[in-house]
Amino acid sequence: MPFKNMSLKTLIYISSGIMAFFLVFMVGMYFYIFSLELEGQIQTSFESLADNIETRLIECVESINESAKQYAYSSDIQTITFFDNPEEYFIAASPAEDVLNFILDSNPNISAIYIYNNKNGRNFSSDSSKRRIFSKALEEHGLTGGKNIDAPFFSTSFYDDGLKITPYVVYFYPFYNVRDRKFERNESAICVILCDLNHLIQWLDIDKSSRSAMAVLYEDSIVSSNRNLSEIEINALRNITDSHGKVSVGNEKYLSNSITLPQFGWKLVYMIPEKDLLGGIIRVRNISYILISVVMVLLFAMMMQLFRFVTSPIQQIVNDVRRVRKGECSRIRPVNVLELQELSNGINLTLESIEQAHAKERETQRKLYNAVIEQKQALIYAYRSQINPHFLFNTLECMRSMARHYNAIPLEKVISSLSAMFRYSLRSNTVVTLSEEIEHLKNYLNFMKLRTGSSFEVRMFIPPETFSHPILPICLQPIVENSITHGFTDSNGNHLKIIQIQSWISDISGESMLHVRISDNGCGIPEKKLKELVANMESENNVEKKYSIGLTILQKGLSWFSENRADLL
């Protein structure tokens, strides 16, 4: 079976994971379908808005053309443009001005109108301050000096009023003398209309959103815009090339469109934030996201709380059983689930019975262990008595006093070191610290230096953290003594004899272990002799020997100390 040997906790988590996956999948499908529908609504709304803007732009062109036709072919403008005598001009001047004001009022995209007759040089303007713009536009298009045009057109360049604040585009409309119902093709004039691009942009901006951006581009330069644009928005508008597309401004997405009219020679570009097209729907979507997310979090929290209520007592029993097996505790803690309390109580009764049986067995083993410890301690004291004769202590003290009396300072130092060594060996405890053992070793080295004439150098690398570590007394001296007496026997007299002592602490199975390394640069130990020493230390009957037992005794003592360390400390 696929769920064989699977824990209850794992099974519950797998089941909850599958449920959570299907729940997330269903919510994700809902959000995906909702997003697709929302995307379609946004695209439809934007396309409708784009069609309206394009329609209004075409209507604007047509209205400018109709206004130019209406103005140019009014009888009073015909009289003023093609008059023969001054009396007719003055009679028609006032009605012509009324017609002009009517056209300006009815078409807000027209800023000024200028009439120019190439044949007789007569002109008439609605705004004298704009004459400079009209004259410049006529001159740039070569319409002075009697030249005429056959069809209306817009200028592809832009003009300003000298302050470079308001951009203008000029519309040229040719018209002819039709007075007295006569159509004289050879007698014509030009109606020049000045259109304010800023006003045109505001009129085309039917979205009226404070975040929408619309601008007129001419040769990749923005001529006019519906509002002040940031540098990021300007770059985004310049990069709009498709008729319908999307651009990103910062972290927000915009729908974009561009309209190019051949008669203008420039391009109208605009972009609208997606959020502004749907407004309330976006808010509803966001609220739905939040509500569904909150419901999912609450549902997940409730499921996890239920699972924890079921699995925590079981896990507690399992952990307590493991702790009992490791010896960290002796009983199972009670649980809150009624069905599991009987199980925990039964385990505790079993543990109590086992503990009583083990207590009797431990008492028997303790008595036996104490007897063995006493026997081992007696053996250690017997070993130490072989190298620590007590009667020499008093003799050395007497010799040291005599050396001081006769002012034999070197002799006094030798006897003082020997006296300290024997005092340490006689009075030291079963276990000492490394610092005490090092102090004893220094006394021994002082004695040996005086004895050998300082023919060797001792280098100690003892970290402070090892000073207080427990160690058997007089366990380092035999090794150093072997270095002096055996390691340097065949060494060259000019060669510097070095004994190096190092100590460090390591962690073995959670218990700190002291390491001491004693090395020298002497002649070393022959392979055959080394094997013989190892064989002697491994032998069970080497204690009975009368010589070469220092290392063997040391090895036995350290083994005993390692086995009984917990009881000695």
Side-chain angles (χ1 to χ4, degrees), residues 327-473:
E328 298 176 357
C329 64
S330 60
R331 293 293 184 273
I332 301 297
R333 293 172 293 173
V335 295
N336 298 326
V337 180
L338 184 61
E339 288 78 3
L340 298 176
Q341 288 180 358
E342 188 67 24
L343 176 62
S344 62
N345 292 335
I347 294 175
N348 285 333
L349 290 175
T350 304
L351 290 174
E352 185 176 357
S353 301
I354 296 174
E355 186 176 337
Q356 291 175 357
H358 285 178
K360 295 180 180 179
E361 184 179 357
R362 283 196 299 270
E363 180 65 21
T364 303
Q365 291 180 351
R366 184 182 64 81
K367 293 178 180 180
L368 178 62
Y369 181 75
N370 289 336
V372 173
I373 289 296
E374 291 176 358
Q375 181 182 2
K376 294 289 186 180
Q377 288 180 341
L379 180 61
I380 288 296
Y381 288 131
Y383 288 160
R384 290 174 57 184
S385 64
Q386 295 182 35
I387 59 175
N388 300 326
H390 179 68
F391 73 93
L392 289 178
F393 178 77
N394 293 331
T395 304
L396 290 173
E397 284 295 319
C398 180
M399 294 172 64
R400 186 181 63 82
S401 299
M402 293 177 64
R404 174 175 292 184
H405 177 75
Y406 290 105
N407 199 25
I409 302 302
L411 180 60
E412 181 185 1
K413 289 183 179 180
V414 172
I415 298 174
S416 295
S417 297
L418 283 175
S419 177
M421 291 169 56
F422 282 110
R423 185 182 295 110
Y424 174 79
S425 63
L426 184 63
R427 297 180 181 178
S428 61
N429 297 323
T430 305
V431 178
V432 297
T433 62
L434 179 62
S435 60
E436 295 175 337
E437 181 68 4
I438 292 297
E439 189 64 29
H440 168 70
L441 187 61
K442 289 180 179 178
N443 289 324
Y444 171 75
L445 291 172
N446 289 335
F447 169 75
M448 294 303 295
K449 284 184 178 180
L450 291 170
R451 177 183 172 184
T452 60
S454 301
S455 60
F456 59 89
E457 178 182 339
V458 179
R459 298 177 182 178
M460 293 190 180
F461 302 92
I462 312 298
E465 62 267 19
T466 63
F467 284 163
S468 60
H469 204 281
I471 192 173
L472 281 178

Side-chain angles (χ1 to χ4, degrees), residues 434-435 438 441-442 445 457-467 476 498-505 514-520:
L434 179 62
S435 60
I438 292 297
L441 187 61
K442 289 180 179 178
L445 291 172
E457 178 182 339
V458 179
R459 298 177 182 178
M460 293 190 180
F461 302 92
I462 312 298
E465 62 267 19
T466 63
F467 284 163
L476 302 182
I498 299 174
I499 299 176
Q500 181 171 288
I501 303 174
Q502 298 174 282
S503 66
W504 69 93
I505 295 176
L514 175 66
H515 300 265
V516 180
R517 176 185 292 163
I518 301 175
S519 58
D520 60 70

Side-chain angles (χ1 to χ4, degrees), residues 199-365:
H199 188 280
L200 178 61
I201 290 293
Q202 297 297 329
W203 183 72
L204 291 175
D205 187 15
I206 59 177
D207 179 60
K208 302 301 180 185
S209 172
S210 60
R211 301 195 305 154
S212 64
M214 178 180 291
V216 171
L217 287 181
Y218 178 71
E219 295 181 352
D220 280 340
S221 297
I222 293 181
V223 180
S224 177
S225 61
N226 62 334
R227 60 178 176 84
N228 292 329
L229 302 176
S230 65
E231 190 66 29
I232 298 178
E233 291 175 328
I234 292 174
N235 292 331
L237 288 172
R238 286 175 177 171
N239 293 328
I240 295 175
T241 56
D242 300 330
S243 57
H244 292 287
K246 290 184 179 181
V247 294
S248 295
V249 178
N251 296 325
E252 191 167 5
K253 292 183 178 180
Y254 284 70
L255 295 178
S256 61
N257 190 26
S258 64
I259 302 173
T260 302
L261 296 179
Q263 60 267 42
F264 282 98
W266 40 263
K267 182 168 64 174
L268 177 69
V269 293
Y270 57 92
M271 58 184 185
I272 301 173
E274 285 185 346
K275 294 181 180 179
D276 293 355
L277 290 173
L278 294 180
I281 298 179
I282 296 293
R283 287 191 293 272
V284 171
R285 182 198 65 179
N286 294 337
I287 293 173
S288 300
Y289 287 173
I290 294 173
L291 290 177
I292 293 177
S293 301
V294 170
V295 170
M296 290 182 60
V297 171
L298 291 177
L299 181 61
F300 181 76
M302 292 176 61
M303 291 175 59
M304 293 304 298
Q305 189 65 27
L306 177 61
F307 295 157
R308 191 178 295 110
F309 180 78
V310 175
T311 58
S312 293
I314 299 175
Q315 188 64 43
Q316 176 182 321
I317 293 176
V318 173
N319 292 337
D320 287 350
V321 169
R322 291 173 179 171
R323 292 176 61 197
V324 169
R325 190 166 55 194
K326 294 179 180 179
E328 298 176 357
C329 64
S330 60
R331 293 293 184 273
I332 301 297
R333 293 172 293 173
V335 295
N336 298 326
V337 180
L338 184 61
E339 288 78 3
L340 298 176
Q341 288 180 358
E342 188 67 24
L343 176 62
S344 62
N345 292 335
I347 294 175
N348 285 333
L349 290 175
T350 304
L351 290 174
E352 185 176 357
S353 301
I354 296 174
E355 186 176 337
Q356 291 175 357
H358 285 178
K360 295 180 180 179
E361 184 179 357
R362 283 196 299 270
E363 180 65 21
T364 303
Q365 291 180 351

